[in-house]
Amino acid sequence: MLLYNLQIIIDLAFQFLFMNIETLAIQSTQMHDKNAGAVATPIYLSTTFERAEDGTFPHNLIYSRIDNPNRHLLEKSLAALDNGTHAFAFASGLASISAIIQLLKAGDHVLIGDDMYYAAAVLIKDIYGPLGIQLSSVDMTDLEKIKKSILPNTKLIWIETPSNPLLKISDIKAIADIAHENNALCGVDNTWATPVLQRPLDLGADIVQYSTTKYFGGHSDVLGGAIVVKNNDLGEKLKKIQVFGGAVQSAFDCWLITRGMKTMPLRIKAQTENAKKIAEFLSTHSKIKCVHYPGLQSHPQHEIAKKQMKDFGAMLSIEVNGNQENAFKMASKLKLFTSATSLGGVESLIEHRKSVEGVNSATPENLLRISVGIEHVDDLIEDLDQAL
Ligand SMILES: *Cc1c(COP(=O)(O)O)cnc(C)c1O
């Protein structure tokens, strides 16, 4: 395990320093295959690896739950993109959040935002609650409220920024400082921003986590989760949780994610440009009550977004005039936006969130969440216009 960590740190230090993210996304995902010189990465489906006569492991590989060439490549690239030293790939975003909660012990308290990704809040409350993890939520845009919500046993402050589905922005640096003053870790679900737009470890966070199902994969065809840290102790603990918890990502799925990562900076650039134009168009439309997008000057945390993000991303939510029925009607009239959950793929999606989250959800009933794709923005705007 020590050898593994050293190898990653050395690789990162010598290969990837000072590269722009577009270059890094290509370079860090190249395998440099020694068997055939294949330019595209081969897929290593083998679950087990041959030992030498003296019992050692000549390729530092034992068994695919512990490490696998495709996972190793993905993790090296994930660490490079987020300026971390250790990265871990999991079978889904939720499996990676679960691994982070497993860093804690019974009696520890986790503070989350009041609009945390719905399924993650269910995971912590219903699965880890009975095992002794205490949970409470707060408005993560209000630093004073955060300070007041910290308990003597608070061990983790969990940020999601931009948040789902209201795109609230939390000040990562300020909250990381609050966490550290209170001996707690600061973790960031960076799924919506990705390292292309925001690097939480550089802003002081201890842990960054992803559902790589979204922008990393980018084609709505693979589930995945990831964690990146830059602390050796956390890295060792997470490696143990990953290997013995067993929720690792399969070789093929790792291959799909590294393939997606090569175009992630380009896709996000195109998607963000589209999202900005759509947000501007909708914010002046008479049938729209409001648009939640951090790139709009009217967004309450626009300045914080400008400070900590390279750009504002490709997710937005709109509230149509009227109620749930009006929202469903609008979504059903769209021809280019598929009505489906999830986000971050090349195709535009729209979703009525409240009906997914259930009756207890605080999401407004007239809200539709939009994941903007890479189609031509004029076609997307025309489609939105006719549906309204
Ligand atoms: C989708 C998502 C998750 C969950 O990830 P899965 O890959 O579906 O398990 C967690 N957080 C955010 C912000 C997400 O969008």
Side-chain angles (χ1 to χ4, degrees):
M1 227 174 308
L2 186 65
L3 197 67
Y4 164 91
N5 288 334
L6 273 179
Q7 189 59 48
I8 283 197
I9 292 166
I10 291 164
D11 283 353
L12 290 175
F14 288 113
Q15 289 180 9
F16 303 133
L17 221 55
F18 308 123
M19 275 184 201
N20 289 300
I21 198 151
E22 293 83 356
T23 315
L24 198 53
I26 304 294
Q27 285 294 317
S28 66
T29 50
Q30 292 299 104
M31 185 169 267
H32 304 294
D33 166 52
K34 291 194 178 62
N35 294 326
V39 173
T41 302
I43 306 175
Y44 288 84
L45 294 175
S46 186
T47 54
T48 187
F49 302 90
E50 192 176 1
R51 293 174 77 162
E53 273 173 27
D54 63 358
T56 57
F57 298 92
H59 303 281
N60 282 328
L61 291 162
I62 303 170
Y63 182 63
S64 271
R65 177 163 40 72
I66 302 168
D67 202 5
N68 165 285
N70 293 100
R71 208 171 85 220
H72 187 81
L73 179 70
L74 169 58
E75 290 174 343
K76 195 174 81 169
S77 175
L78 285 164
L81 259 57
D82 256 294
N83 243 340
T85 51
H86 306 66
F88 306 95
F90 288 85
S92 70
L94 277 181
S96 61
I97 295 175
S98 187
I100 290 162
I101 304 304
Q102 288 166 17
L103 288 166
L104 308 177
K105 60 180 191 316
D108 287 351
H109 170 248
V110 182
L111 186 61
I112 60 168
D114 53 14
D115 59 347
M116 183 191 205
Y117 180 73
Y118 183 74
V122 172
L123 166 74
I124 303 174
K125 185 163 166 283
D126 291 358
I127 310 293
Y128 287 102
L131 299 175
I133 298 296
Q134 196 187 335
L135 180 72
S136 64
S137 66
V138 65
D139 177 356
M140 277 291 166
T141 64
D142 187 329
L143 298 178
E144 289 312 309
K145 277 193 190 150
I146 294 170
K147 285 181 195 163
K148 284 194 193 118
S149 304
I150 290 178
L151 304 175
N153 56 337
T154 301
K155 288 285 150 41
L156 175 65
I157 302 183
W158 190 254
I159 310 173
E160 211 184 294
T161 182
S163 74
N164 177 21
L166 288 174
L167 291 114
K168 294 202 274 184
I169 303 293
S170 302
D171 188 330
I172 296 173
K173 189 169 184 310
I175 297 172
D177 286 346
I178 294 171
H180 298 151
E181 280 158 23
N182 290 279
N183 262 331
L185 293 169
C186 174
V188 179
D189 183 334
N190 203 34
T191 298
W192 283 30
T194 82
V196 178
L197 302 179
Q198 173 173 280
R199 282 174 157 169
L201 298 181
D202 289 352
L203 296 166
D206 304 287
I207 303 169
V208 57
Q209 176 269 327
Y210 296 100
S211 167
T212 52
T213 310
K214 315 295 169 52
Y215 288 103
F216 284 75
H219 296 75
S220 308
D221 55 9
V222 57
L223 285 174
I227 303 172
V228 188
V229 298
K230 57 172 184 184
N231 167 298
N232 211 46
D233 181 47
L234 274 179
E236 295 285 341
K237 283 180 182 155
L238 285 165
K239 180 73 187 165
K240 191 163 189 180
I241 291 168
Q242 182 194 39
V243 168
F244 294 97
V248 294
Q249 189 161 37
S250 77
F252 181 58
D253 287 358
C254 290
W255 184 85
L256 279 171
I257 300 286
T258 42
R259 182 186 210 260
M261 282 163 76
K262 290 176 188 290
T263 55
M264 181 168 71
L266 274 187
R267 282 186 279 109
I268 288 182
K269 194 170 169 208
Q271 285 169 283
T272 299
E273 288 308 314
N274 283 356
K276 272 188 208 165
K277 289 183 182 150
I278 289 172
E280 272 158 29
F281 167 73
L282 292 174
S283 63
T284 56
H285 201 288
S286 63
K287 297 271 176 66
I288 298 287
K289 193 173 154 220
C290 66
V291 177
H292 302 273
Y293 184 65
L296 293 173
Q297 300 252 328
S298 58
H299 187 283
Q301 294 96 33
H302 176 65
E303 289 305 318
I304 299 171
K306 241 166 67 180
K307 189 181 71 174
Q308 70 186 13
M309 300 178 80
K310 277 212 188 98
D311 212 336
F312 303 105
M315 293 298 298
L316 60 126
S317 290
I318 56 173
E319 291 184 44
V320 301
N321 289 336
N323 54 20
Q324 167 156 327
E325 206 184 316
N326 299 87
F328 270 119
K329 216 164 140 193
M330 142 97 191
S332 72
K333 282 190 187 153
L334 289 164
K335 297 189 178 84
L336 301 179
F337 294 76
T338 304
S339 181
T341 195
S342 200
L343 58 114
V346 289
E347 64 287 308
S348 293
L349 300 179
I350 192 158
E351 185 187 28
H352 185 259
R353 280 304 293 175
K354 190 175 174 77
S355 52
V356 177
E357 293 171 355
V359 281
N360 292 329
S361 144
T363 300
E365 62 167 311
N366 60 338
L367 180 140
L368 293 165
R369 189 185 78 182
I370 301 175
S371 170
V372 179
I374 61 168
E375 303 90 340
H376 198 290
V377 71
D378 293 350
D379 298 332
L380 295 177
I381 287 177
E382 198 178 297
D383 193 30
L384 289 162
D385 199 25
Q386 66 78 22
L388 286 163

